[in-house]
Amino acid sequence: MVAEGYIFIIAILIQWAAFIPAYFLSSEKFFDLIGSFTFLTVILISLFVSTSLNLTKLLISFLVITWACRLGLFLFFRVNRNNGDSRFDNLKKSALSFFGVWSLQGIWVFITASAAIFAITSPLDYEFGLLGVIGLFLWVLGFAIEVIADKQKSDFRKDPKNKNLFIETGLWSLCRHPNYTGEIILWVGVAVLAFPYLTGFKLFSLISPIFVYLLLTKISGIPLLERAAEFKWGNDESFLFYKKRTGKLLPKLF
């Protein structure tokens, strides 16, 4: 537990260090990139302090780093292409609020990666078995859904003909937030991979995918996007029909 405690502190310190130039520049453009860098850092430290590395632990590390690097770069380029992130417009006006957001990112990184961190640093050693196959399958499925959904929406927005329109094609024809569906599934996959290495209090780290689900569906993800979409297209009959026939994360069966 000592090593994991230090890892948590490092995750927070990285955010505090990044907050200083972000505040004086009044910029959130590298916020997501720092988040990805923090994921990368905590996983590499976990590998360094581990006394019992094996194939599964290396695989967990690789999967988390791959996800973090892909998403961080995607968001970084998107924010810079859009010349900012409107979610930060009011937050940047208050040093305390802006500092709080950076601090929360460190907490988000640690809780989200907690199952992976505790598994990698665990002294236990197991062969890659059925749970490993299931976990890897879920991660690949979730990662593929997230990447495809992000690519489809990015391409949609690049087309001038789609200006001020909402996307309802590809994976977005099945549900309104398929990228979040993919992200939740892939973290379930990481938790399944990590499960054999978690004992005692470390089992609480299985909250990781639950935390991701709650964060995306109740706090920072879907609620903000749904309100923005309602404000923009709430009187559009085609949007109301799209909203009626689709679920937030999964297709409606009936």
Side-chain angles (χ1 to χ4, degrees):
M1 181 60 183
V2 174
E4 291 83 2
Y6 283 126
I7 290 172
F8 172 73
I9 292 172
I10 290 171
I12 296 296
L13 290 177
I14 292 173
Q15 311 313 305
W16 290 355
F19 161 76
I20 297 172
Y23 175 70
F24 284 107
L25 294 172
S26 188
S27 174
E28 72 283 4
K29 292 185 178 180
F30 53 90
F31 181 81
D32 296 303
L33 204 58
I34 293 297
S36 292
F37 173 76
T38 309
F39 271 103
L40 177 64
T41 301
V42 299
I43 293 300
L44 290 178
I45 293 174
S46 299
L47 287 170
F48 180 77
V49 301
S50 177
T51 58
S52 178
L53 288 177
N54 61 15
L55 176 62
T56 304
K57 294 177 183 180
L58 292 173
L59 177 61
I60 292 172
S61 304
F62 174 77
L63 297 181
V64 174
I65 289 172
T66 298
W67 167 83
C69 290
R70 200 291 305 184
L71 184 61
L73 289 172
F74 173 79
L75 295 175
F76 173 74
F77 287 121
R78 188 180 71 179
V79 167
N80 279 272
R81 185 170 61 248
N82 296 334
N83 199 32
D85 186 333
S86 59
R87 296 175 302 171
F88 289 84
D89 289 347
N90 291 324
L91 292 169
K92 289 186 295 185
K93 296 176 182 178
S94 166
L96 186 61
S97 296
F98 200 33
F99 177 76
V101 172
W102 281 93
S103 300
L104 286 172
Q105 178 163 249
I107 297 172
W108 164 68
V109 169
F110 185 81
I111 296 178
T112 302
S114 59
I117 292 169
F118 281 111
I120 296 167
T121 58
S122 170
L124 300 178
D125 187 9
Y126 292 102
E127 293 183 1
F128 186 81
L130 179 60
L131 279 180
V133 173
I134 295 172
L136 180 59
F137 170 77
L138 289 172
W139 187 92
V140 171
L141 175 64
F143 186 74
I145 292 173
E146 185 174 35
V147 171
I148 292 170
D150 282 341
K151 179 68 164 57
Q152 289 175 342
K153 192 169 188 177
S154 180
D155 290 345
F156 178 85
R157 286 179 168 174
K158 287 177 182 178
D159 190 338
K161 293 184 298 183
N162 296 324
K163 186 178 181 180
N164 296 323
L165 298 178
F166 61 92
I167 182 172
E168 54 177 331
T169 56
L171 293 177
W172 301 83
S173 67
L174 303 176
C175 61
R176 299 196 295 279
H177 307 280
N179 53 333
Y180 290 159
T181 303
E183 183 156 338
I184 293 167
I185 291 174
L186 73 84
W187 282 111
V188 171
V190 171
V192 171
L193 278 163
F195 178 71
Y197 302 94
L198 305 176
T199 58
F201 73 91
K202 292 183 178 181
L203 286 168
F204 283 106
S205 65
L206 291 175
I207 197 176
S208 166
I210 300 173
F211 173 75
V212 171
Y213 170 80
L214 292 175
L215 185 67
L216 294 178
T217 60
K218 305 298 182 183
I219 303 175
S220 70
I222 291 176
L224 296 178
L225 293 173
E226 290 278 309
R227 283 197 295 269
E230 192 68 30
F231 178 79
K232 194 169 186 179
W233 300 296
N235 296 320
D236 186 328
E237 289 187 7
S238 60
F239 173 75
L240 293 176
F241 177 70
Y242 168 69
K243 189 174 180 179
K244 183 178 180 180
R245 69 177 176 81
T246 57
K248 292 178 180 179
L249 290 171
L250 298 172
K252 280 189 176 180
L253 299 179
F254 303 101

